Amino acid sequence: MSDMIEGQVNRPEILDVIETSIDGLSGELRMLSLDIHEYCRRYAHDAYTAFMEKHGFTVIKNHHLETAWVATYTHGRGGRVLGINSEMDALPGIGHACEHNLVGISGVAVAVAAKAAMERLNIDGKVVLLGTPGPGPHHFISLTNCLAFSFITVKYQGHTAHAGLSPWEGKNALDAAVLAYNNVSILPQQIKPTHRVHGIFEGNNWAPNIIPDQATMKWIVRAPTTSEMEDTRRRVTACFEAAALASGCKVQITATPTINEVTDLVLIIVPGDELADVALKCYGAIDYEWGIKNASTDFRRFQINHTNHFFQAIPTIPNGGNHTPGFTEAARSQVSHDACLVVSKALAAVGMRVLTDEAFFQKVCVMRRSGEDTFEED
């Protein structure tokens, strides 16, 4: 972590408008966050779109997906486009243990603050907010990378039989899944410590006196780069196939398209330095080490855009980190809300510099072009 530093940020008059706007919206954003924390994506879609319409954005509901939406605002003629993402997600059973209620309102706060700055200071451009379904200081921002990953669904099909009377007539799909799990469990001896493989069992209508004829497994494979992830995924797939062969069951393996890694070469350096500058001069500390470097994000990079993915920290209880019930509770606290608004202010400042500073924008473009041969694109 780094301590706060002395100095003035770029265009302090813009930051003043951003801070005034977000502070003025704090109560409304808090209510929106708590509502989202309690309900589903369908409700989130309606709550977010109503909020954005109320604050002067043109909204497209059910954009390609039932729970996706787009909110836009244009000021003047010409200018650049600032794209922002409000991810709407929750975890089965434990809800917002990934603080997406805060991630969502952060995007809203950035968009509304950018609109306020454009109106107040007569800055031409366009803001597009996408609603996508899918210990230390309280306020610090993470500038780390994250892993490439792929979801895999494995379905074993066997044959039922009476488990006591004639078990030899069955083909046990649960046995196949257990074998697959055990096969994968020994892989860490031969894969790099930076790789992650984890999965669960699912089944329907199982009973101890019936040989299970079906079993489903859900897996995620992660690695620092796309090529490494795909190599480990091939080895994991062989574990699934071997289990089918040993048990006599049929297997169907379905892998999602690869979600590529987010690294700091292009996506972070220039805007990340600006974010760090604003945060360190005005708000708090920067984390260059932990973040989600050993996890992943479904935030994707597209070929012609300059995109960045940052993370915020919130205080939680001991052993109450990401994807735990403790983190779910932390995501609704007042101090976490305050941290979210701090991050939103810094992000809005970076976005407005993209819209207003030609030299800064060109520097981002140069860094993007310098990395074109380095990364695989979706």
Side-chain angles (χ1 to χ4, degrees):
M1 304 255 179
S2 303
D3 296 326
M4 290 182 67
I5 61 176
E6 298 290 333
Q8 189 176 71
V9 299
N10 179 73
R11 297 288 300 271
E13 73 278 13
I14 292 179
L15 185 59
D16 286 344
V17 177
I18 288 169
E19 290 183 329
T20 299
S21 174
I22 291 178
D23 288 340
L25 286 171
S26 178
E28 289 183 70
L29 291 169
R30 175 78 170 143
M31 291 179 61
L32 180 62
S33 171
L34 293 177
D35 282 348
I36 299 305
H37 191 276
E38 299 300 323
Y39 297 102
C40 63
R41 293 176 186 171
R42 173 70 266 174
Y43 178 86
H45 170 280
D46 296 344
Y48 279 124
T49 54
F51 190 97
M52 298 310 295
E53 287 178 332
K54 175 183 175 182
H55 288 278
F57 283 73
T58 300
V59 174
I60 301 174
K61 301 178 180 180
N62 314 121
H63 186 61
H64 296 299
L65 298 171
E66 183 184 3
T67 52
W69 50 273
V70 181
T72 60
Y73 168 77
T74 302
H75 185 81
R77 291 188 174 184
R80 283 183 278 274
V81 178
L82 175 61
I84 308 159
N85 181 212
S86 284
E87 283 187 331
M88 301 181 294
D89 204 358
L91 299 167
I94 55 175
H96 283 285
C98 210
E99 63 170 326
H100 278 256
N101 60 308
L102 298 175
V103 172
I105 69 159
S106 181
V108 168
V110 171
V112 176
K115 173 179 178 287
M118 294 163 73
E119 290 175 337
R120 182 79 59 84
L121 302 172
N122 196 28
I123 298 168
D124 291 345
K126 184 176 183 179
V127 178
V128 179
L129 175 62
L130 301 176
T132 55
H138 290 323
H139 310 319
F140 77 86
I141 298 166
S142 171
L143 295 180
T144 63
N145 59 4
C146 58
L147 307 181
F149 71 106
S150 178
F151 292 100
I152 306 173
T153 300
V154 183
K155 295 183 178 181
Y156 289 104
Q157 186 66 47
H159 182 70
T160 58
H162 193 293
L165 182 65
S166 53
W168 55 87
E169 294 180 356
K171 293 182 179 179
N172 196 319
L174 181 57
D175 279 351
V178 170
L179 283 171
Y181 193 94
N182 289 335
N183 289 344
V184 174
S185 293
I186 65 171
L187 268 186
Q189 298 179 54
Q190 280 78 43
I191 63 175
K192 295 178 181 179
T194 51
H195 295 205
R196 301 286 187 271
V197 182
H198 35 97
I200 60 170
F201 296 91
E202 293 181 347
N204 293 314
N205 302 317
W206 285 347
N209 61 338
I210 301 172
I211 300 297
D213 67 341
Q214 55 78 32
T216 299
M217 308 183 82
K218 299 291 181 67
W219 291 87
I220 304 176
V221 179
R222 314 180 199 242
T225 68
T226 297
S227 60
E228 287 182 89
M229 188 283 298
E230 290 175 345
D231 180 64
T232 295
R233 185 172 61 186
R234 282 190 289 270
R235 298 180 67 184
V236 169
T237 298
C239 292
F240 303 149
E241 292 169 341
L245 182 64
S247 64
C249 293
K250 297 178 181 179
V251 63
Q252 178 184 341
I253 303 170
T254 306
T256 64
T258 299
I259 307 298
N260 301 122
E261 70 275 16
V262 177
T263 70
D264 59 4
L265 178 60
V266 173
L267 299 179
I268 297 299
I269 290 177
V270 177
D273 284 350
E274 176 67 10
L275 182 68
D277 184 73
V278 175
L280 291 172
K281 288 176 179 175
C282 300
Y283 305 121
I286 293 290
D287 163 37
Y288 290 98
E289 176 60 21
W290 297 105
I292 62 166
K293 69 174 185 177
N294 291 326
S296 308
T297 174
D298 50 9
F299 178 89
R300 294 187 177 213
R301 294 178 290 107
F302 295 93
Q303 193 163 13
I304 61 173
N305 294 335
H306 311 289
T307 60
N308 303 274
H309 194 205
F310 304 106
F311 311 95
Q312 66 185 25
I314 62 173
T316 185
I317 61 174
N319 299 317
N322 206 267
H323 290 197
T324 68
F327 203 81
T328 301
E329 188 61 26
R332 61 173 288 117
S333 70
Q334 181 65 50
V335 69
S336 295
H337 174 77
D338 294 341
C340 172
L341 298 194
V342 165
V343 174
S344 302
K345 293 171 184 177
L347 286 171
V350 176
M352 290 308 300
R353 187 162 188 185
V354 171
L355 292 186
T356 60
D357 188 333
E358 179 65 25
F360 179 77
F361 178 73
Q362 290 303 323
K363 191 176 180 181
V364 174
C365 293
V366 168
M367 289 304 300
R368 175 64 180 84
R369 288 193 294 268
S370 71
E372 282 182 347
D373 295 331
T374 305
F375 297 106
E376 297 179 28
E377 301 291 348
D378 289 341

